[in-house]
Amino acid sequence: EELTASEKTNLVSYWALDEADGNGVVDKVDETLGSAFYEDSMATNDNLGDWSGDDCNITFDTDHFVATETWASQNSALLNSLGDLVTGNVYKISIDIKSGTFSGSISLGIHSTWGAVANEITVSPNSSSFTTFTFYSMIVSGDDTFNMFTSMGSGETYFFKNLSIKPVNGNTGILV
């Protein structure tokens, strides 16, 4: 929504933002995304090697990946070695998740060490159908891993597919 003439009185400048999408905003001039940095729009067994589990097993089933807790503690599903991410750039990340036998929250983020809260969101997936979660991440030096982190009981599962990581063009911002 643009400012009215009276709202612009004595205003030096302003930045007209589009609506927020997840935790990110883009400018109204250039809302485009760059070429996909990573995209598994059709999950296949061929993509399974991209993933590793920390206290969980990652397997493939029909059209999605399955994370199964192997230890009754915290676990992570990791997409490693995203070494070509550019420090200072903002990326739009979207992924479809379904909770399976797990009922709780999952934290999603891109970083080298956990806890960079500007670069992660916490979601609560649905057990009956896949839900698409979208957020933005500004890359800081050393960020190189997409991480899905949760605490599950031994044997509990959640499912995921359609991960997309794309750079955002134009002026960007992260809402913190």
Side-chain angles (χ1 to χ4, degrees):
E1 182 175 321
E2 294 297 321
L3 296 174
T4 65
S6 64
E7 290 173 323
K8 292 180 184 178
T9 303
N10 297 326
L11 184 64
V12 176
S13 67
Y14 73 99
W15 186 18
L17 298 175
D18 202 353
E19 292 183 25
D21 183 5
N23 66 332
V25 292
V26 295
D27 71 26
K28 288 185 161 191
V29 176
D30 187 354
E31 300 176 31
T32 62
L33 299 174
S35 298
F37 177 77
Y38 181 89
E39 195 161 42
D40 69 0
S41 58
M42 182 48 120
T44 67
N45 202 43
D46 295 337
N47 301 69
L48 185 57
D50 295 342
W51 294 91
S52 66
D54 181 8
D55 289 334
C56 69
N57 287 329
I58 309 296
T59 56
F60 179 77
D61 182 21
T62 312
D63 69 343
H64 60 271
F65 297 103
V66 180
T68 304
E69 175 65 67
T70 58
W71 191 259
S73 67
Q74 299 173 336
N75 76 69
S76 294
L78 308 169
L79 176 61
N80 296 302
S81 302
L82 299 176
D84 294 332
L85 295 174
V86 178
T87 299
N89 283 8
V90 174
Y91 291 81
K92 181 177 183 177
I93 299 101
S94 64
I95 187 167
D96 298 341
I97 304 175
K98 179 179 168 182
S99 65
T101 60
F102 167 67
S103 62
S105 60
I106 300 174
S107 295
L108 309 172
I110 294 182
H111 31 63
S112 56
T113 56
W114 197 252
V117 293
N119 288 330
E120 63 189 51
I121 64 168
T122 300
V123 301
S124 296
N126 187 315
S127 62
S128 60
S129 61
F130 280 96
T131 302
T132 301
F133 297 99
T134 301
F135 69 103
Y136 292 80
S137 184
M138 182 178 291
I139 304 305
V140 296
S141 181
D143 287 346
D144 62 358
T145 302
F146 175 75
N147 190 327
M148 293 186 290
F149 177 82
T150 190
S151 294
M152 299 192 302
S154 183
E156 289 186 317
T157 61
Y158 66 89
F159 313 111
F160 62 95
K161 63 181 181 178
N162 297 334
L163 172 64
S164 174
I165 302 173
K166 294 182 179 179
V168 177
N169 297 326
N171 299 311
T172 56
I174 300 292
L175 301 174
V176 291

